[in-house]
Amino acid sequence: MLRDFISLLFPSSCIITQQPLAKGEKYISTHCAHQLPKFDLKATHEELHKKFYGIVTIKHAFAYYKFSKHNNVQKLLHQLKYNNCPEVGELAAQWYAYELAEAGYAKSFDLILPVPLHKTKQRKRGYNQCDSIAKGMSAVLEIPWHDKVLIKKKHTDSQTRKTRMQRFANAEEVYAIHHEPLIKGKRILLVDDVITTGATLSVCAHLLLQHGCQEVSIAALATPA
């Protein structure tokens, strides 16, 4: 009763529209959630696979939301990455995982790994947004996740102005594998918030395969449509 009364006086708001949430809604209104543009997870995402052709062998490549400049997906990602809202990533990842399961992929992976942040950047931000995505997917798919297997050993500046090849060359120097026995023979689902060039994911996937995992699939919360 008290909680309902407080919610009435101080309603939480949708992170996208800033409108009050209805009872039972969390972070994103039901209306906004249904309006976010999504990919069909049952269809082969050829454009996403093309980012890795000739670089590394990827089993499955998924993206959930269609990202474009100034759309609501960009607003969601901004809240997740820069506004101290890791719970948004966890919630969206749960929706994502339910749809992956419905598309027939629930038993396709053995371990979920998030793309890491360097410890300096993670300490400054307070969290790694990819951890929240891995955690949300893990809860629904009932697959373990681990945040200490894939490590970013070198801090790098923003990659947004670098070309694909510059990113790839740079990334090879900054990632490493710890706890190698945890990935031996495993089908890895590597998760990221956004896929742009795919260079970082390519290097991470290559390292995982080099260290003995059976296969690597990739799941991004969003990618440009």
Side-chain angles (χ1 to χ4, degrees), residues 65-106:
Y65 292 125
K66 297 179 180 182
F67 173 89
S68 62
K69 195 172 183 180
H70 304 309
N71 77 345
N72 283 343
V73 174
Q74 185 187 46
K75 294 177 183 178
L76 182 153
L77 293 170
H78 184 86
Q79 292 291 327
L80 166 62
K81 197 168 182 177
Y82 301 114
N83 206 27
N84 195 27
C85 290
E87 299 87 357
V88 172
E90 188 173 345
L91 178 62
Q94 289 173 359
W95 297 337
Y96 192 175
Y98 279 120
E99 295 201 24
L100 282 173
E102 289 177 359
Y105 295 103

Side-chain angles (χ1 to χ4, degrees), residues 118-127:
H118 186 267
K119 59 184 179 182
T120 301
K121 191 168 186 177
Q122 184 161 338
R123 187 161 52 242
K124 183 178 179 180
R125 183 174 294 171
Y127 60 96

